[in-house]
Coordinates of all heavy atoms in Angstrom, one line a residue:
D3 N 7.0 -4.8 -14.2 CA 6.4 -5.6 -13.1 C 4.9 -5.7 -13.3 O 4.1 -5.8 -12.4 CB 6.6 -4.9 -11.8 CG 8.1 -4.8 -11.5 OD1 8.9 -5.7 -11.8 OD2 8.5 -3.7 -11.0
L4 N 4.4 -5.8 -14.6 CA 3.0 -5.9 -14.9 C 2.5 -7.3 -14.4 O 1.4 -7.4 -13.9 CB 2.7 -5.7 -16.4 CG 1.3 -5.7 -16.8 CD1 0.5 -4.6 -16.1 CD2 1.2 -5.5 -18.3
K5 N 3.4 -8.3 -14.6 CA 3.0 -9.6 -14.2 C 3.6 -9.9 -12.8 O 4.7 -9.5 -12.5 CB 3.6 -10.7 -15.1 CG 3.0 -10.6 -16.5 CD 3.5 -11.7 -17.4 CE 2.9 -11.6 -18.8 NZ 3.5 -12.6 -19.7
P6 N 2.8 -10.5 -11.9 CA 3.3 -10.8 -10.5 C 4.5 -11.8 -10.6 O 4.6 -12.5 -11.6 CB 2.1 -11.5 -9.9 CG 0.9 -11.1 -10.7 CD 1.4 -10.9 -12.1
T7 N 5.3 -11.8 -9.6 CA 6.4 -12.7 -9.5 C 5.9 -14.1 -9.5 O 4.9 -14.4 -9.0 CB 7.2 -12.4 -8.2 OG1 7.6 -11.1 -8.2 CG2 8.5 -13.3 -8.1
A8 N 6.7 -15.0 -10.2 CA 6.3 -16.4 -10.3 C 6.0 -17.0 -8.9 O 6.9 -16.8 -8.0 CB 7.3 -17.2 -11.0
G9 N 4.9 -17.7 -8.8 CA 4.6 -18.3 -7.5 C 3.8 -17.5 -6.6 O 3.4 -18.0 -5.5
I10 N 3.5 -16.2 -6.9 CA 2.7 -15.3 -6.1 C 1.3 -15.4 -6.6 O 1.0 -14.9 -7.7 CB 3.3 -13.9 -6.1 CG1 4.7 -13.9 -5.5 CG2 2.3 -13.0 -5.2 CD1 4.8 -14.3 -4.1
S11 N 0.4 -15.9 -5.8 CA -1.0 -15.9 -6.3 C -1.7 -14.6 -6.1 O -1.2 -13.8 -5.3 CB -1.8 -17.0 -5.5 OG -1.9 -16.6 -4.1
P12 N -2.8 -14.3 -6.8 CA -3.6 -13.1 -6.5 C -4.0 -13.0 -5.1 O -4.0 -11.8 -4.5 CB -4.8 -13.2 -7.4 CG -4.3 -14.1 -8.5 CD -3.4 -15.1 -7.9
E13 N -4.3 -14.1 -4.4 CA -4.7 -14.0 -3.0 C -3.6 -13.6 -2.1 O -3.7 -12.7 -1.2 CB -5.2 -15.4 -2.5 CG -6.5 -15.8 -3.2 CD -6.3 -16.3 -4.6 OE1 -5.2 -16.6 -5.0 OE2 -7.3 -16.3 -5.4
H14 N -2.4 -14.1 -2.4 CA -1.2 -13.7 -1.6 C -0.9 -12.3 -1.8 O -0.5 -11.5 -0.9 CB 0.0 -14.6 -2.1 CG 1.2 -14.5 -1.2 ND1 2.4 -15.2 -1.4 CD2 1.4 -13.7 -0.1 CE1 3.2 -14.9 -0.5 NE2 2.7 -13.9 0.3
Q15 N -1.0 -11.8 -3.1 CA -0.7 -10.4 -3.4 C -1.7 -9.5 -2.7 O -1.3 -8.4 -2.2 CB -0.7 -10.2 -4.9 CG -0.1 -8.9 -5.4 CD 0.0 -8.9 -6.9 OE1 -0.5 -9.8 -7.6 NE2 0.6 -7.8 -7.4
R16 N -3.0 -9.9 -2.7 CA -4.0 -9.1 -2.0 C -3.7 -9.0 -0.5 O -3.8 -7.9 0.1 CB -5.3 -9.8 -2.2 CG -6.5 -9.2 -1.5 CD -6.9 -7.9 -2.2 NE -6.3 -6.7 -1.6 CZ -6.3 -5.5 -2.1 NH1 -6.9 -5.3 -3.3 NH2 -5.7 -4.5 -1.5
E17 N -3.2 -10.1 0.1 CA -2.8 -10.0 1.6 C -1.6 -9.0 1.8 O -1.6 -8.3 2.7 CB -2.5 -11.4 2.1 CG -3.7 -12.3 2.1 CD -3.2 -13.7 2.6 OE1 -2.0 -14.0 2.8 OE2 -4.1 -14.6 2.7
N18 N -0.7 -9.1 0.9 CA 0.5 -8.2 1.0 C 0.0 -6.7 0.8 O 0.5 -5.8 1.6 CB 1.5 -8.5 -0.1 CG 2.3 -9.7 0.1 OD1 2.3 -10.2 1.3 ND2 2.9 -10.3 -0.9
L19 N -0.9 -6.4 -0.1 CA -1.4 -5.1 -0.3 C -2.2 -4.6 0.9 O -2.1 -3.4 1.3 CB -2.2 -5.0 -1.6 CG -1.5 -4.9 -2.9 CD1 -2.5 -4.9 -4.0 CD2 -0.7 -3.6 -3.0
N20 N -2.9 -5.5 1.5 CA -3.7 -5.1 2.7 C -2.8 -4.7 3.8 O -3.0 -3.7 4.5 CB -4.6 -6.3 3.1 CG -5.8 -6.5 2.2 OD1 -6.1 -5.6 1.4 ND2 -6.4 -7.7 2.3
L21 N -1.7 -5.5 4.0 CA -0.7 -5.2 5.1 C 0.0 -3.8 4.8 O 0.1 -3.0 5.6 CB 0.3 -6.3 5.2 CG 1.4 -6.1 6.2 CD1 0.9 -6.0 7.6 CD2 2.5 -7.2 6.1
L22 N 0.4 -3.7 3.5 CA 1.1 -2.4 3.1 C 0.1 -1.2 3.3 O 0.5 -0.1 3.7 CB 1.5 -2.5 1.7 CG 2.3 -1.3 1.1 CD1 3.6 -1.1 1.9 CD2 2.6 -1.6 -0.4
S23 N -1.1 -1.4 3.0 CA -2.1 -0.3 3.1 C -2.3 0.1 4.5 O -2.4 1.3 4.8 CB -3.4 -0.8 2.5 OG -4.4 0.2 2.6
R24 N -2.2 -0.9 5.5 CA -2.4 -0.5 6.9 C -1.2 0.3 7.3 O -1.3 1.3 8.0 CB -2.5 -1.8 7.7 CG -3.9 -2.5 7.6 CD -4.1 -3.4 8.8 NE -3.2 -4.5 8.8 CZ -3.3 -5.7 8.1 NH1 -4.4 -5.9 7.4 NH2 -2.4 -6.6 8.2
F25 N 0.0 -0.1 6.9 CA 1.2 0.7 7.3 C 1.1 2.1 6.7 O 1.5 3.1 7.4 CB 2.5 0.0 6.8 CG 2.8 -1.3 7.5 CD1 3.5 -2.3 6.8 CD2 2.5 -1.5 8.8 CE1 3.8 -3.5 7.5 CE2 2.8 -2.7 9.5 CZ 3.5 -3.7 8.8
N26 N 0.7 2.2 5.4 CA 0.7 3.5 4.8 C -0.4 4.4 5.4 O -0.2 5.6 5.6 CB 0.4 3.3 3.3 CG 1.6 2.9 2.5 OD1 2.7 3.3 2.9 ND2 1.4 2.2 1.4
H27 N -1.5 3.8 5.8 CA -2.6 4.6 6.4 C -2.1 5.1 7.8 O -2.4 6.2 8.2 CB -3.9 3.8 6.5 CG -4.7 3.9 5.3 ND1 -4.8 2.9 4.4 CD2 -5.5 4.9 4.8 CE1 -5.6 3.2 3.4 NE2 -6.0 4.4 3.6
D28 N -1.4 4.3 8.6 CA -0.8 4.7 9.8 C 0.1 5.9 9.6 O 0.1 6.9 10.4 CB -0.1 3.6 10.5 CG -1.0 2.5 11.0 OD1 -2.3 2.8 11.1 OD2 -0.6 1.4 11.3
H29 N 0.9 5.8 8.6 CA 1.9 6.9 8.3 C 1.1 8.1 7.9 O 1.5 9.2 8.2 CB 2.8 6.4 7.2 CG 4.0 7.3 7.0 ND1 4.8 7.8 8.0 CD2 4.5 7.8 5.8 CE1 5.8 8.5 7.5 NE2 5.6 8.6 6.2
L30 N 0.0 7.9 7.1 CA -0.7 9.1 6.6 C -1.4 9.8 7.8 O -1.5 11.1 7.8 CB -1.8 8.6 5.6 CG -2.7 9.7 5.0 CD1 -1.8 10.6 4.2 CD2 -3.7 9.0 4.1
E31 N -1.8 9.1 8.8 CA -2.4 9.8 10.0 C -1.4 10.7 10.7 O -1.8 11.8 11.2 CB -2.9 8.7 11.0 CG -4.2 8.0 10.5 CD -4.7 7.0 11.5 OE1 -4.1 6.9 12.6 OE2 -5.7 6.3 11.2
D32 N -0.1 10.4 10.6 CA 0.9 11.2 11.2 C 1.4 12.3 10.3 O 2.1 13.3 10.7 CB 2.1 10.4 11.7 CG 1.7 9.5 12.9 OD1 0.8 9.8 13.6 OD2 2.4 8.4 13.0
H33 N 1.1 12.2 9.0 CA 1.5 13.2 8.0 C 0.4 13.6 7.1 O 0.4 13.3 5.9 CB 2.7 12.7 7.2 CG 3.8 12.2 8.1 ND1 3.9 11.0 8.7 CD2 5.0 12.8 8.4 CE1 5.0 10.9 9.4 NE2 5.7 12.0 9.2
P34 N -0.7 14.2 7.7 CA -1.9 14.4 6.9 C -1.8 15.4 5.7 O -2.6 15.4 4.8 CB -2.9 14.9 7.9 CG -2.1 15.5 9.0 CD -0.9 14.7 9.0
W35 N -0.7 16.2 5.7 CA -0.6 17.2 4.7 C 0.1 16.6 3.4 O 0.2 17.3 2.4 CB 0.3 18.4 5.2 CG 1.6 18.0 5.7 CD1 2.8 17.8 5.0 CD2 2.0 17.6 7.0 NE1 3.8 17.4 5.7 CE2 3.4 17.2 7.0 CE3 1.3 17.5 8.2 CZ2 4.0 16.8 8.2 CZ3 2.0 17.1 9.4 CH2 3.3 16.8 9.3
Q36 N 0.6 15.4 3.5 CA 1.3 14.8 2.4 C 0.4 14.0 1.5 O 0.1 12.9 1.7 CB 2.5 13.9 2.9 CG 3.6 14.7 3.6 CD 4.8 13.9 4.0 OE1 4.6 12.6 4.0 NE2 5.9 14.5 4.3
D37 N -0.1 14.8 0.4 CA -1.1 14.1 -0.5 C -0.5 13.0 -1.2 O -1.2 12.1 -1.6 CB -1.6 15.2 -1.5 CG -2.4 16.3 -0.9 OD1 -2.9 16.0 0.2 OD2 -2.6 17.3 -1.5
D38 N 0.8 13.0 -1.4 CA 1.4 11.9 -2.2 C 1.3 10.5 -1.5 O 1.3 9.5 -2.1 CB 2.9 12.2 -2.5 CG 3.7 12.5 -1.3 OD1 3.1 12.8 -0.3 OD2 4.9 12.3 -1.4
L39 N 1.1 10.5 -0.1 CA 1.0 9.3 0.6 C -0.4 8.6 0.2 O -0.4 7.4 -0.1 CB 1.0 9.5 2.1 CG 2.4 9.9 2.6 CD1 2.2 10.2 4.1 CD2 3.4 8.8 2.4
Q40 N -1.4 9.4 0.2 CA -2.7 8.9 -0.3 C -2.7 8.4 -1.7 O -3.2 7.3 -2.1 CB -3.8 9.9 -0.1 CG -5.2 9.4 -0.4 CD -5.7 8.3 0.5 OE1 -5.5 8.3 1.7 NE2 -6.3 7.3 -0.1
A41 N -2.0 9.2 -2.5 CA -1.9 8.8 -3.9 C -1.1 7.5 -4.1 O -1.4 6.6 -4.9 CB -1.1 9.9 -4.7
R42 N -0.1 7.3 -3.2 CA 0.7 6.0 -3.3 C -0.2 4.8 -2.9 O -0.1 3.8 -3.6 CB 1.9 6.1 -2.3 CG 2.8 4.9 -2.3 CD 3.9 5.1 -1.2 NE 4.6 6.4 -1.4 CZ 5.3 6.9 -0.4 NH1 5.4 6.2 0.8 NH2 6.0 8.0 -0.5
I43 N -1.0 5.0 -1.9 CA -1.9 3.9 -1.5 C -2.8 3.5 -2.6 O -3.0 2.4 -3.0 CB -2.7 4.3 -0.2 CG1 -1.8 4.6 1.0 CG2 -3.8 3.3 0.1 CD1 -2.5 5.2 2.2
E44 N -3.4 4.6 -3.2 CA -4.4 4.3 -4.3 C -3.7 3.7 -5.6 O -4.3 2.9 -6.3 CB -5.1 5.6 -4.6 CG -6.1 6.0 -3.5 CD -6.5 7.4 -3.6 OE1 -6.0 8.1 -4.4 OE2 -7.4 7.8 -2.7
N45 N -2.4 4.2 -5.8 CA -1.7 3.6 -6.9 C -1.4 2.2 -6.8 O -1.3 1.4 -7.8 CB -0.4 4.5 -7.2 CG -0.7 5.8 -7.8 OD1 -1.8 6.0 -8.4 ND2 0.2 6.7 -7.8
Y46 N -1.1 1.7 -5.6 CA -0.8 0.3 -5.3 C -2.1 -0.5 -5.7 O -2.0 -1.5 -6.3 CB -0.5 0.0 -3.9 CG 1.0 0.3 -3.5 CD1 1.3 1.1 -2.5 CD2 2.0 -0.3 -4.3 CE1 2.7 1.4 -2.2 CE2 3.3 -0.1 -3.9 CZ 3.7 0.8 -2.9 OH 5.0 1.0 -2.6

């Protein structure tokens, strides 16, 4: 998955990541001891 799916622009992908990041940060606030959640956000 190194290359984005056909038809997905960098701008569209950036918006998707921003939305996913908000969901992940909300989850992280409820589970602050799970370091892998922060790692997942940064890995995206």
Side-chain angles (χ1 to χ4, degrees):
D3 303 318
L4 184 59
K5 295 181 180 180
T7 304
I10 300 297
S11 68
E13 292 75 20
H14 189 179
Q15 195 173 5
R16 180 70 267 171
E17 291 176 359
N18 288 340
L19 280 175
N20 289 342
L21 177 62
L22 183 62
S23 180
R24 286 199 296 273
F25 289 151
N26 281 331
H27 275 101
D28 289 344
H29 191 47
L30 182 62
E31 288 181 2
D32 291 336
H33 303 81
W35 59 85
Q36 293 185 343
D37 291 341
D38 56 337
L39 291 176
Q40 183 63 41
R42 184 184 306 163
I43 294 169
E44 290 161 357
N45 282 343
Y46 279 126

